[in-house]
Amino acid sequence: MRLKRSEDRARVFQMNAKIFQDPALSGQENMDIDALLLERAVAGEAALRFYQWSEPTISLGHFQVTQSMDVPERFKHLPCVKRLSGGGAILHDRELTYSCCLPKQHSICQEPAQLYNQIHEVLIEVLAAYDVRCSMRGDAAFKDQSFLCFSRGDERDIVVGTHKIVGSSQRRRQGAVLQHGSILLQASEFAPEFPGIYELSGVRIDPDELREQLEGSIANRLDLQFL
């Protein structure tokens, strides 16, 4: 299944960016690369990256505590890393993860919260081509301080019905923005209470194929030209 890329929109300004298609790596390696890309964004370089995880891993939000006693017992045997971004913990397993780093020279960095809308709108459009009916949560958002991010509800979450399938978070530094997010393709055996796209729609999506569709669509939306 292929999604035909739309024609480029007329542009006043187009920013060069690097694209990274990494193999499955450990949690620490993945977070180290995202941190490096944010440093490069501060220096003026834009990047878009897609990756997966070599084993099920918990990533803690930047402001979450790190003591092992604060991690629920059922997750204590899993690798645990710290994210640059905030929010609740994420169990990274059967997902495709993206990260987008933009320097302050990109126009959207003047209002970085809009980056959530732009990327999530692209995700909704691409998933619709797979017959996955989803939308942003909107006014149904709710406050929850549960350990796991997918138990929390933000207005920009992408949901199928009431079930969250995409959650994203940001870190901002000297005007540059790192946004990364998890696209839940299938439920993890370690957190079966969170159904993925497969359980909710019956659609099994190949992560490499999805990555290919998202690259051009996100670049087009954000006026990025890959080097």
Side-chain angles (χ1 to χ4, degrees), residues 10-24:
R11 293 177 172 85
V12 176
F13 172 74
Q14 190 175 61
M15 176 173 284
N16 288 333
K18 291 186 177 181
I19 179 73
F20 295 87
Q21 304 167 4
D22 290 332

Side-chain angles (χ1 to χ4, degrees), residues 13 15-16 37-38 40-47 100-119 170-179 221-224:
F13 172 74
M15 176 173 284
N16 288 333
L37 293 182
L38 179 57
R40 291 181 177 178
V42 170
E45 182 178 291
C100 179
C101 290
L102 299 175
K104 65 180 181 180
Q105 292 84 358
H106 194 287
S107 60
I108 205 168
C109 290
Q110 299 174 23
E111 195 174 353
Q114 286 302 312
L115 187 58
Y116 289 115
N117 294 332
Q118 295 298 320
I119 291 183
Q170 290 184 354
R171 179 65 181 267
R172 304 166 190 176
R173 182 177 295 165
Q174 298 179 42
V177 180
L178 158 69
Q179 179 173 308
R221 179 63 68 92
L222 297 178
D223 291 333
L224 300 176

Side-chain angles (χ1 to χ4, degrees), residues 161-203:
T162 60
H163 295 283
K164 182 174 180 176
I165 60 167
V166 179
S168 299
S169 55
Q170 290 184 354
R171 179 65 181 267
R172 304 166 190 176
R173 182 177 295 165
Q174 298 179 42
V177 180
L178 158 69
Q179 179 173 308
H180 49 195
S182 300
I183 307 168
L184 187 56
L185 302 178
Q186 189 173 348
S188 170
E189 65 177 297
F190 301 107
E193 67 270 31
F194 302 115
I197 291 171
Y198 175 69
E199 288 79 19
L200 294 168
S201 67
V203 178

Side-chain angles (χ1 to χ4, degrees), residues 8-207:
D8 285 353
R9 298 177 288 120
R11 293 177 172 85
V12 176
F13 172 74
Q14 190 175 61
M15 176 173 284
N16 288 333
K18 291 186 177 181
I19 179 73
F20 295 87
Q21 304 167 4
D22 290 332
L25 298 171
S26 71
Q28 194 58 59
E29 288 172 315
N30 277 328
M31 295 300 92
D32 287 347
I33 293 172
D34 275 2
L36 177 60
L37 293 182
L38 179 57
E39 290 179 11
R40 291 181 177 178
V42 170
E45 182 178 291
L48 181 62
R49 175 180 179 233
F50 294 92
Y51 56 97
Q52 292 183 281
W53 306 69
S54 57
E55 59 184 326
T57 301
I58 294 288
S59 74
L60 296 172
H62 181 71
F63 298 104
Q64 284 187 299
V65 293
T66 57
Q67 293 89 344
S68 60
M69 68 185 67
D70 296 303
V71 177
E73 189 65 34
R74 60 176 170 151
F75 300 132
K76 286 187 176 180
H77 68 290
L78 299 177
C80 186
V81 295
K82 194 82 166 178
R83 293 196 313 273
L84 281 172
S85 59
I90 298 176
L91 170 58
H92 303 279
D93 191 0
R94 298 171 178 174
E95 67 173 58
L96 177 66
T97 313
Y98 78 87
S99 64
C100 179
C101 290
L102 299 175
K104 65 180 181 180
Q105 292 84 358
H106 194 287
S107 60
I108 205 168
C109 290
Q110 299 174 23
E111 195 174 353
Q114 286 302 312
L115 187 58
Y116 289 115
N117 294 332
Q118 295 298 320
I119 291 183
H120 283 200
E121 286 172 4
V122 169
L123 284 167
I124 289 167
E125 292 169 3
V126 170
L127 289 172
Y130 288 90
D131 292 326
V132 177
R133 308 302 176 190
C134 55
S135 62
M136 279 189 271
R137 191 187 299 275
D139 293 339
F142 53 89
K143 299 295 183 182
D144 192 320
Q145 293 303 310
S146 299
F147 176 74
L148 288 176
C149 173
F150 273 67
S151 294
R152 305 181 181 190
D154 183 84
E155 63 183 8
R156 299 183 183 92
D157 293 338
I158 298 179
V159 295
V160 174
T162 60
H163 295 283
K164 182 174 180 176
I165 60 167
V166 179
S168 299
S169 55
Q170 290 184 354
R171 179 65 181 267
R172 304 166 190 176
R173 182 177 295 165
Q174 298 179 42
V177 180
L178 158 69
Q179 179 173 308
H180 49 195
S182 300
I183 307 168
L184 187 56
L185 302 178
Q186 189 173 348
S188 170
E189 65 177 297
F190 301 107
E193 67 270 31
F194 302 115
I197 291 171
Y198 175 69
E199 288 79 19
L200 294 168
S201 67
V203 178
R204 193 181 297 276
I205 299 178
D206 178 79

